[in-house]
Structures are given as structure tokens and as C-alpha cells.
Amino acid sequence: MKETFGEYVKRLRTENNLTLTQLAAQLDLDSANLSKIENGKRAFDEKRLIKLANFFKLNMDKLKTEFFSDLIAKKIYQTKCCHETLLLAEEKIKYLQQKEIKTGVLNL
Amino acid sequence: MKETFGEYVKRLRTENNLTLTQLAAQLDLDSANLSKIENGKRAFDEKRLIKLANFFKLNMDKLKTEFFSDLIAKKIYQTKCCHETLLLAEEKIKYLQQKEIKTGVLNL
DNA sequence: TAATTCTTGTCATATTTTGCCAAATATAAT
DNA sequence: ATTATATTTGGCAAAATATGACAAGAATTA
């Protein structure tokens, strides 16, 4: 069973025997806020992914997959949507791709 | 090929021969902002779904499907994520469901 | 029990979103 | 073509939300 992004960060940190304060410093963060991030009470800012990747020597693409899957999962979860909603979403993704190809710009 | 939520609203409006001003009034909205919504330059606020459904006599569940599929599609589109990300997201959704069952609360 | 670490609450500030208005553009009618 | 009507766009102030920072409380460890 998978984990949230916050739990993932916490695991990285504890497996490397770091305190919140130590990791937070590396990420330009307050330790209190890192705690909140780990416990899902605040969002992790995308701009800090690079710092996280560098510090733990992580593959950036894999990290982004971890991060964005979290965003998407939470968005889907929040809407309490049904399977039909997701099928329709897939169609709309294709539509948006076509649209961007045609128009060059895409307002979201 | 599907349409965006904005395009869907515009279609509803034009098929019913309404001006922006007319529909906007029903939705407690400025006509300028309704225009932006239709053209994907502003978001449609969830709280107005009920007004939209009542005015056009739409099925609320279907309307929500239209609406949330849009949110999700755009979120996925924005992240430019790959298929792997979506698979992981699906796992995380299951995880979040389990978690809510266990803990009763869920921080997102 | 003392020290350290973690969690939670709060608040000022920064950022984003929203409603509203005015001007510019496009469309339709006469 | 001119006028009237409808739509789009830009901008701004206010509202809402997110963020960083600090302090106090709770949990963990030595």
C-alpha cells in the first residue's frame, strides 16, 4: 500500500536519521511547517522539490511522479467522484491536448 | 470529442438563446466574468452549480460529473504527468480511502 | 526529570482569487 | 455604413487563501 507525499518525506528523513530541524534547514523551511507537511496539514511547495532531490540524491523524475500523483489523488479524493467522472476526465485530457495543438495557447 | 466545462456552459446558454448578461444574472455573476468562465480564463465556483442546475433543469449528479471531471483533467494536464503518475495516483486514492476509514479524519 | 524533538495554534504578511467597472472588439439589425 | 447589442479583455480594490515565523504544549528519549 502506497503512502502520501508527506509520509514519503517523513520516511526519507527518519531513514536518514535526521530531525525536522535538520531537514527543514535544507529545504528553507521552518521545522514546524515541515512537521505539518509530513502530517498532511500543509502542502509541499513544488519549488522545493529540487532541493529535496539534491539533498537526498533522488531522481527528479521519480520524485515528481511521487509529488504530482499526490496532488492528483487528493484532488480526485476531494471531489468524492465516481468512476464515470474519471473516464470523462480522461476524455477531456485528450481534448485539451488537441486544443493546445490547434490553438497554441490553452487557458486553464 | 468532449468539451471543457466552460464550453459546456456556453453551449447551454447559446442553445437556449440567452445572452451572457441574462445567464450571468441567474448565476449571481458579472457578464464579463461569465465570459471569462466560458473561455476558460476564470474558474466556475462550485457553489454556483446548484443555480445552474436549477435554471436549466439539469440533473445535479450529471452536472457534477461534468464539473469535477474538468477540475481533474486540468489538474492532470497542468502537471504534464505521465501514465505512471496516474497509476500511482490511483493507488494513493485507495490508500487515502483506507486511511479515512481507519482514522476518521483525513488531512489533505 | 531534563533535554530534545515533534506537534499544534496563532498571527502578520504575501499571494491568489474574486467581483466589479470601463474600454475595446465583435456581431447583428436597420 | 451606422447604430445598437453582445462579447471579450484589462485592470484594480477587496476578499479569501496560503505561507513564514514564532511560541507554547505534547511526546519521546536520555
Side-chain angles (χ1 to χ4, degrees):
Chain A
M1 186 67 80
K2 260 294 163 186
E3 63 199 338
T4 65
F5 188 77
E7 288 164 351
Y8 171 69
V9 171
K10 186 171 208 156
R11 189 163 58 75
L12 275 176
R13 179 175 66 79
T14 54
E15 282 177 359
N16 287 84
N17 289 103
L18 296 166
T19 65
L20 284 169
T21 308
Q22 288 171 321
L23 178 56
Q26 296 295 326
L27 302 175
D28 272 316
L29 253 176
D30 186 282
S31 66
N33 290 329
L34 180 54
S35 167
K36 287 169 192 167
I37 287 169
E38 289 185 349
N39 295 302
K41 302 188 171 173
R42 283 218 183 178
F44 187 89
D45 191 317
E46 185 182 343
K47 75 183 178 210
R48 272 187 261 262
L49 284 180
I50 184 71
K51 293 178 181 181
L52 193 64
N54 288 342
F55 185 60
F56 286 116
K57 298 278 175 284
L58 303 170
N59 175 280
M60 194 59 187
D61 285 337
K62 286 207 65 170
L63 186 58
K64 281 188 178 176
T65 299
E66 271 296 332
F67 179 72
F68 288 125
S69 63
D70 219 65
L71 283 192
I72 293 164
K74 284 172 181 173
K75 175 63 79 177
I76 293 172
Y77 193 79
Q78 282 168 351
T79 67
K80 299 182 184 30
C81 69
C82 59
H83 186 61
E84 198 190 339
T85 310
L86 297 183
L87 291 179
L88 187 50
E90 285 184 46
E91 286 188 61
K92 289 195 180 191
I93 294 168
K94 288 181 205 152
Y95 176 62
L96 291 174
Q97 288 165 342
Q98 285 302 317
K99 202 173 177 184
E100 187 172 35
I101 289 166
K102 280 182 194 160
T103 64
V105 262
L106 194 45
N107 298 309
L108 303 175
Chain B
M1 186 68 80
K2 260 295 166 188
E3 62 198 339
T4 65
F5 188 76
E7 288 164 350
Y8 170 68
V9 172
K10 186 172 208 156
R11 189 163 57 77
L12 274 177
R13 179 176 65 79
T14 53
E15 283 177 358
N16 287 84
N17 288 104
L18 297 166
T19 66
L20 285 169
T21 307
Q22 288 171 322
L23 178 56
Q26 296 295 327
L27 301 174
D28 272 317
L29 209 61
D30 186 280
S31 65
N33 288 328
L34 181 53
S35 168
K36 286 170 192 167
I37 288 170
E38 289 185 350
N39 295 302
K41 303 190 171 172
R42 283 214 183 180
F44 187 90
D45 191 316
E46 185 183 341
K47 77 183 175 209
R48 272 188 260 262
L49 284 181
I50 183 71
K51 293 178 182 182
L52 193 63
N54 288 342
F55 185 60
F56 286 117
K57 299 277 175 285
L58 303 169
N59 176 280
M60 194 61 187
D61 285 338
K62 286 207 66 171
L63 186 59
K64 280 188 179 175
T65 300
E66 269 298 330
F67 179 72
F68 288 124
S69 63
D70 219 66
L71 283 191
I72 293 164
K74 284 172 181 173
K75 175 63 81 178
I76 292 172
Y77 194 78
Q78 282 168 351
T79 67
K80 299 181 183 37
C81 69
C82 59
H83 187 62
E84 198 189 339
T85 310
L86 296 185
L87 291 179
L88 187 50
E90 285 186 45
E91 287 188 61
K92 289 195 180 188
I93 294 168
K94 288 181 205 152
Y95 175 63
L96 292 175
Q97 288 166 342
Q98 284 303 317
K99 202 173 178 186
E100 187 171 34
I101 289 168
K102 281 182 193 158
T103 65
V105 262
L106 193 44
N107 297 310
L108 302 175

